[in-house]
Short mmCIF file of all heavy atoms in Angstrom, two decimals:
data_model
loop_
_atom_site.label_atom_id
_atom_site.label_comp_id
_atom_site.label_asym_id
_atom_site.label_seq_id
_atom_site.Cartn_x
_atom_site.Cartn_y
_atom_site.Cartn_z
N GLY A 34 -28.76 -12.41 21.33
CA GLY A 34 -27.72 -11.82 22.29
C GLY A 34 -26.61 -12.95 22.81
O GLY A 34 -26.10 -12.80 23.77
N GLN A 35 -26.47 -13.92 21.96
CA GLN A 35 -25.58 -15.01 22.29
C GLN A 35 -24.14 -14.77 21.84
O GLN A 35 -23.16 -15.42 22.34
CB GLN A 35 -26.07 -16.41 21.77
CG GLN A 35 -27.39 -16.74 22.40
CD GLN A 35 -27.88 -18.01 21.82
OE1 GLN A 35 -27.52 -18.51 20.76
NE2 GLN A 35 -28.72 -18.70 22.65
N HIS A 36 -23.93 -13.75 21.10
CA HIS A 36 -22.61 -13.47 20.56
C HIS A 36 -21.88 -14.68 19.98
O HIS A 36 -20.73 -14.87 20.31
CB HIS A 36 -21.72 -12.82 21.58
CG HIS A 36 -22.19 -11.44 21.96
ND1 HIS A 36 -23.55 -11.15 22.20
CD2 HIS A 36 -21.52 -10.37 22.21
CE1 HIS A 36 -23.68 -9.87 22.52
NE2 HIS A 36 -22.44 -9.26 22.56
N ASP A 37 -22.51 -15.46 19.20
CA ASP A 37 -21.97 -16.69 18.66
C ASP A 37 -21.84 -16.70 17.04
O ASP A 37 -21.41 -17.70 16.45
CB ASP A 37 -22.87 -18.00 19.02
CG ASP A 37 -24.33 -17.92 18.49
OD1 ASP A 37 -24.62 -16.80 17.94
OD2 ASP A 37 -25.05 -18.84 18.75
N PHE A 38 -22.00 -15.52 16.51
CA PHE A 38 -21.86 -15.35 15.04
C PHE A 38 -21.35 -13.98 14.88
O PHE A 38 -21.78 -13.06 15.42
CB PHE A 38 -23.11 -15.69 14.36
CG PHE A 38 -23.00 -15.33 12.75
CD1 PHE A 38 -22.55 -16.36 11.99
CD2 PHE A 38 -23.39 -14.09 12.23
CE1 PHE A 38 -22.48 -16.20 10.58
CE2 PHE A 38 -23.27 -13.87 10.97
CZ PHE A 38 -22.82 -14.89 10.11
N GLY A 39 -20.47 -13.82 13.82
CA GLY A 39 -19.99 -12.53 13.41
C GLY A 39 -19.68 -12.57 11.98
O GLY A 39 -19.45 -13.56 11.33
N ALA A 40 -19.84 -11.28 11.46
CA ALA A 40 -19.57 -11.21 9.99
C ALA A 40 -18.83 -9.89 9.71
O ALA A 40 -19.15 -8.85 10.39
CB ALA A 40 -20.81 -11.06 9.09
N PHE A 41 -17.65 -9.89 8.97
CA PHE A 41 -16.93 -8.74 8.75
C PHE A 41 -16.22 -8.94 7.39
O PHE A 41 -16.27 -10.01 6.84
CB PHE A 41 -15.97 -8.46 9.82
CG PHE A 41 -15.02 -9.71 10.10
CD1 PHE A 41 -13.80 -9.74 9.47
CD2 PHE A 41 -15.34 -10.70 10.94
CE1 PHE A 41 -12.88 -10.84 9.60
CE2 PHE A 41 -14.51 -11.75 11.11
CZ PHE A 41 -13.29 -11.87 10.52
N SER A 42 -15.53 -7.87 6.93
CA SER A 42 -14.85 -7.99 5.63
C SER A 42 -13.25 -7.70 6.02
O SER A 42 -12.89 -6.87 6.80
CB SER A 42 -15.29 -6.93 4.68
OG SER A 42 -16.59 -7.20 4.25
N VAL A 43 -12.44 -8.38 5.19
CA VAL A 43 -11.00 -8.03 5.33
C VAL A 43 -10.53 -7.78 3.81
O VAL A 43 -11.12 -8.16 2.92
CB VAL A 43 -10.15 -9.26 5.81
CG1 VAL A 43 -10.47 -9.45 7.33
CG2 VAL A 43 -10.38 -10.62 5.11
N ASP A 44 -9.44 -7.06 3.68
CA ASP A 44 -8.82 -6.68 2.45
C ASP A 44 -8.00 -7.89 1.92
O ASP A 44 -7.03 -8.19 2.60
CB ASP A 44 -8.06 -5.38 2.61
CG ASP A 44 -7.42 -5.09 1.19
OD1 ASP A 44 -7.07 -5.94 0.43
OD2 ASP A 44 -7.35 -3.77 1.04
N VAL A 45 -8.43 -8.44 0.89
CA VAL A 45 -7.49 -9.53 0.28
C VAL A 45 -7.22 -9.17 -1.12
O VAL A 45 -8.11 -9.04 -2.01
CB VAL A 45 -8.42 -10.87 0.18
CG1 VAL A 45 -7.63 -11.90 -0.53
CG2 VAL A 45 -8.84 -11.34 1.65
N ASN A 46 -5.98 -8.66 -1.29
CA ASN A 46 -5.42 -8.31 -2.61
C ASN A 46 -6.35 -7.13 -3.13
O ASN A 46 -6.68 -7.14 -4.35
CB ASN A 46 -5.40 -9.46 -3.62
CG ASN A 46 -4.49 -10.52 -3.04
OD1 ASN A 46 -3.49 -10.30 -2.49
ND2 ASN A 46 -4.95 -11.74 -3.35
N GLY A 47 -6.67 -6.12 -2.25
CA GLY A 47 -7.31 -4.95 -2.69
C GLY A 47 -8.93 -5.07 -2.88
O GLY A 47 -9.57 -4.24 -3.27
N GLU A 48 -9.38 -6.30 -2.50
CA GLU A 48 -10.82 -6.57 -2.63
C GLU A 48 -11.31 -6.84 -1.14
O GLU A 48 -10.75 -7.55 -0.38
CB GLU A 48 -11.10 -7.82 -3.40
CG GLU A 48 -11.62 -7.50 -4.77
CD GLU A 48 -11.99 -8.84 -5.56
OE1 GLU A 48 -12.86 -9.50 -5.05
OE2 GLU A 48 -11.41 -9.07 -6.53
N ASP A 49 -12.53 -6.30 -0.83
CA ASP A 49 -13.14 -6.61 0.47
C ASP A 49 -13.72 -8.04 0.34
O ASP A 49 -14.52 -8.32 -0.54
CB ASP A 49 -14.25 -5.65 0.75
CG ASP A 49 -13.84 -4.38 1.42
OD1 ASP A 49 -12.67 -4.39 1.89
OD2 ASP A 49 -14.56 -3.37 1.53
N THR A 50 -13.32 -8.94 1.25
CA THR A 50 -13.75 -10.32 1.27
C THR A 50 -14.46 -10.54 2.63
O THR A 50 -14.00 -10.31 3.62
CB THR A 50 -12.56 -11.29 1.19
OG1 THR A 50 -11.89 -10.99 -0.06
CG2 THR A 50 -13.12 -12.71 1.25
N LYS A 51 -15.71 -10.97 2.48
CA LYS A 51 -16.51 -11.12 3.65
C LYS A 51 -16.06 -12.58 4.30
O LYS A 51 -15.84 -13.45 3.76
CB LYS A 51 -18.05 -11.31 3.20
CG LYS A 51 -19.02 -11.35 4.30
CD LYS A 51 -19.14 -10.13 5.03
CE LYS A 51 -20.42 -9.36 4.58
NZ LYS A 51 -20.52 -8.10 5.42
N ILE A 52 -16.04 -12.45 5.71
CA ILE A 52 -15.69 -13.51 6.43
C ILE A 52 -16.69 -13.60 7.57
O ILE A 52 -17.23 -12.75 8.05
CB ILE A 52 -14.27 -13.30 7.22
CG1 ILE A 52 -13.25 -13.08 6.17
CG2 ILE A 52 -13.92 -14.50 8.13
CD1 ILE A 52 -12.79 -14.24 5.33
N TRP A 53 -17.09 -14.97 7.80
CA TRP A 53 -18.07 -15.17 8.88
C TRP A 53 -17.41 -16.11 9.91
O TRP A 53 -16.38 -16.90 9.64
CB TRP A 53 -19.24 -16.15 8.38
CG TRP A 53 -20.21 -15.42 7.46
CD1 TRP A 53 -20.25 -14.04 7.18
CD2 TRP A 53 -21.30 -15.94 6.87
NE1 TRP A 53 -21.28 -13.82 6.29
CE2 TRP A 53 -21.92 -15.01 6.08
CE3 TRP A 53 -21.81 -17.25 6.80
CZ2 TRP A 53 -23.07 -15.17 5.36
CZ3 TRP A 53 -22.93 -17.53 6.06
CH2 TRP A 53 -23.64 -16.45 5.29
N PHE A 54 -17.77 -16.02 11.13
CA PHE A 54 -17.36 -16.91 12.23
C PHE A 54 -18.55 -17.33 12.96
O PHE A 54 -19.56 -16.58 13.15
CB PHE A 54 -16.22 -16.36 13.16
CG PHE A 54 -16.59 -15.30 14.10
CD1 PHE A 54 -17.10 -15.44 15.33
CD2 PHE A 54 -16.39 -13.96 13.56
CE1 PHE A 54 -17.42 -14.43 16.12
CE2 PHE A 54 -16.72 -12.87 14.46
CZ PHE A 54 -17.25 -13.07 15.66
N LYS A 55 -18.53 -18.57 13.49
CA LYS A 55 -19.65 -19.18 14.17
C LYS A 55 -19.10 -20.03 15.35
O LYS A 55 -18.21 -20.71 15.12
CB LYS A 55 -20.42 -20.07 13.37
CG LYS A 55 -21.59 -20.88 13.91
CD LYS A 55 -22.73 -20.07 14.25
CE LYS A 55 -23.90 -20.87 14.82
NZ LYS A 55 -24.15 -20.56 16.16
N ILE A 56 -19.70 -19.82 16.48
CA ILE A 56 -19.28 -20.66 17.69
C ILE A 56 -20.41 -21.57 18.09
O ILE A 56 -21.60 -21.16 18.25
CB ILE A 56 -18.94 -19.73 18.95
CG1 ILE A 56 -17.93 -18.76 18.47
CG2 ILE A 56 -18.65 -20.51 20.10
CD1 ILE A 56 -17.71 -17.62 19.57
N ASP A 57 -20.18 -22.83 18.10
CA ASP A 57 -21.03 -23.94 18.43
C ASP A 57 -20.70 -24.54 19.69
O ASP A 57 -19.56 -24.58 20.19
CB ASP A 57 -21.08 -24.96 17.33
CG ASP A 57 -21.63 -24.47 16.06
OD1 ASP A 57 -22.74 -24.06 16.04
OD2 ASP A 57 -20.89 -24.40 15.08
N LEU A 58 -21.71 -24.97 20.48
CA LEU A 58 -21.45 -25.43 21.79
C LEU A 58 -21.68 -27.02 21.85
O LEU A 58 -22.77 -27.47 21.55
CB LEU A 58 -22.48 -24.89 22.80
CG LEU A 58 -22.38 -23.31 22.83
CD1 LEU A 58 -23.46 -22.81 23.84
CD2 LEU A 58 -21.04 -22.77 23.11
N TYR A 59 -20.66 -27.75 22.14
CA TYR A 59 -20.70 -29.22 22.13
C TYR A 59 -20.53 -29.84 23.57
O TYR A 59 -20.07 -29.16 24.41
CB TYR A 59 -19.68 -29.84 21.23
CG TYR A 59 -19.70 -29.56 19.80
CD1 TYR A 59 -19.23 -28.50 19.24
CD2 TYR A 59 -20.59 -30.46 18.97
CE1 TYR A 59 -19.35 -28.19 17.88
CE2 TYR A 59 -20.71 -30.18 17.73
CZ TYR A 59 -20.17 -29.06 17.04
OH TYR A 59 -20.34 -28.89 15.75
N ASN A 60 -20.96 -31.03 23.64
CA ASN A 60 -20.70 -31.85 24.81
C ASN A 60 -19.19 -32.24 24.92
O ASN A 60 -18.53 -32.02 23.83
CB ASN A 60 -21.59 -33.06 24.99
CG ASN A 60 -21.32 -34.13 23.91
OD1 ASN A 60 -20.34 -34.11 23.28
ND2 ASN A 60 -22.23 -35.05 23.74
N PRO A 61 -18.70 -32.66 26.07
CA PRO A 61 -17.24 -32.99 26.07
C PRO A 61 -16.76 -33.97 25.07
O PRO A 61 -15.56 -34.06 24.68
CB PRO A 61 -17.09 -33.51 27.56
CG PRO A 61 -18.16 -32.77 28.29
CD PRO A 61 -19.28 -32.76 27.35
N SER A 62 -17.62 -34.83 24.50
CA SER A 62 -17.16 -35.82 23.64
C SER A 62 -17.30 -35.29 22.17
O SER A 62 -16.90 -36.00 21.23
CB SER A 62 -18.13 -37.05 23.60
OG SER A 62 -18.00 -37.63 24.93
N TYR A 63 -17.74 -34.08 22.02
CA TYR A 63 -17.97 -33.44 20.70
C TYR A 63 -18.79 -34.18 19.59
O TYR A 63 -18.70 -34.11 18.54
CB TYR A 63 -16.54 -33.24 20.02
CG TYR A 63 -15.69 -32.27 20.76
CD1 TYR A 63 -14.66 -32.70 21.69
CD2 TYR A 63 -15.79 -30.86 20.52
CE1 TYR A 63 -13.86 -31.95 22.32
CE2 TYR A 63 -14.89 -30.01 21.32
CZ TYR A 63 -13.96 -30.47 22.14
OH TYR A 63 -13.28 -29.66 22.83
N ASN A 64 -19.82 -35.03 20.27
CA ASN A 64 -20.63 -35.83 19.40
C ASN A 64 -21.97 -35.35 19.41
O ASN A 64 -22.93 -35.88 18.75
CB ASN A 64 -20.48 -37.18 19.67
CG ASN A 64 -20.96 -37.59 21.17
OD1 ASN A 64 -21.36 -36.78 21.76
ND2 ASN A 64 -20.70 -38.82 21.43
N ALA A 65 -22.35 -34.30 20.09
CA ALA A 65 -23.71 -33.72 20.21
C ALA A 65 -23.60 -32.34 20.81
O ALA A 65 -22.60 -31.89 21.29
CB ALA A 65 -24.62 -34.59 21.00
N GLY A 66 -24.74 -31.65 20.76
CA GLY A 66 -24.66 -30.36 21.40
C GLY A 66 -24.70 -30.40 22.86
O GLY A 66 -25.04 -31.48 23.45
N SER A 67 -24.19 -29.30 23.60
CA SER A 67 -24.17 -29.31 25.03
C SER A 67 -25.57 -29.24 25.60
O SER A 67 -26.38 -28.46 25.23
CB SER A 67 -23.40 -28.15 25.53
OG SER A 67 -23.36 -28.12 26.89
N GLU A 68 -25.86 -30.13 26.71
CA GLU A 68 -27.10 -30.04 27.30
C GLU A 68 -27.14 -28.93 28.37
O GLU A 68 -28.26 -28.43 28.67
CB GLU A 68 -27.41 -31.32 27.95
CG GLU A 68 -27.60 -32.49 26.93
CD GLU A 68 -28.03 -33.74 27.65
OE1 GLU A 68 -28.46 -33.79 28.80
OE2 GLU A 68 -27.90 -34.86 26.98
N LYS A 69 -25.95 -28.41 28.76
CA LYS A 69 -25.87 -27.28 29.77
C LYS A 69 -24.88 -26.37 29.21
O LYS A 69 -23.70 -26.28 29.71
CB LYS A 69 -25.52 -27.85 31.09
CG LYS A 69 -26.56 -28.79 31.66
CD LYS A 69 -26.28 -29.22 32.97
CE LYS A 69 -27.38 -30.15 33.58
NZ LYS A 69 -27.12 -30.54 34.96
N PRO A 70 -25.20 -25.49 28.25
CA PRO A 70 -24.32 -24.63 27.69
C PRO A 70 -23.66 -23.60 28.64
O PRO A 70 -22.52 -23.22 28.32
CB PRO A 70 -25.09 -23.83 26.70
CG PRO A 70 -26.39 -24.49 26.49
CD PRO A 70 -26.61 -25.42 27.68
N ASP A 71 -24.20 -23.24 29.73
CA ASP A 71 -23.60 -22.35 30.73
C ASP A 71 -22.70 -23.05 31.61
O ASP A 71 -22.12 -22.37 32.50
CB ASP A 71 -24.66 -21.45 31.35
CG ASP A 71 -25.88 -22.19 31.76
OD1 ASP A 71 -26.18 -23.28 31.23
OD2 ASP A 71 -26.71 -21.68 32.64
N ASP A 72 -22.64 -24.42 31.63
CA ASP A 72 -21.67 -25.16 32.49
C ASP A 72 -20.41 -25.40 31.73
O ASP A 72 -20.47 -26.22 30.89
CB ASP A 72 -22.37 -26.33 32.97
CG ASP A 72 -21.51 -27.21 33.91
OD1 ASP A 72 -20.26 -26.85 34.08
OD2 ASP A 72 -22.01 -28.07 34.51
N THR A 73 -19.37 -24.63 32.08
CA THR A 73 -18.03 -24.94 31.37
C THR A 73 -17.44 -26.23 31.49
O THR A 73 -16.63 -26.66 30.61
CB THR A 73 -17.13 -23.79 31.80
OG1 THR A 73 -16.73 -23.88 33.15
CG2 THR A 73 -17.56 -22.41 31.42
N THR A 74 -17.88 -27.09 32.53
CA THR A 74 -17.38 -28.39 32.66
C THR A 74 -17.86 -29.37 31.81
O THR A 74 -17.48 -30.49 31.49
CB THR A 74 -17.43 -28.82 34.17
OG1 THR A 74 -18.85 -29.08 34.43
CG2 THR A 74 -16.75 -27.88 35.16
N GLN A 75 -19.18 -28.90 31.16
CA GLN A 75 -19.94 -29.90 30.37
C GLN A 75 -20.07 -29.36 28.90
O GLN A 75 -20.83 -29.89 28.09
CB GLN A 75 -21.32 -30.09 30.91
CG GLN A 75 -21.25 -30.74 32.20
CD GLN A 75 -22.71 -31.15 32.76
OE1 GLN A 75 -23.51 -31.57 31.94
NE2 GLN A 75 -23.04 -30.95 34.01
#
Side-chain angles (χ1 to χ4, degrees):
Q35 295 177 337
H36 292 44
D37 61 353
F38 176 83
F41 58 91
S42 293
V43 293
D44 182 324
V45 177
N46 302 323
E48 258 185 61
D49 276 344
T50 300
K51 190 68 103 172
I52 304 291
W53 288 355
F54 68 89
K55 172 75 175 117
I56 301 169
D57 293 298
L58 308 176
Y59 288 93
N60 66 16
S62 299
Y63 295 97
N64 60 5
S67 176
E68 291 184 19
K69 297 184 178 182
D71 39 339
D72 182 348
T73 57
T74 65
Q75 296 186 40

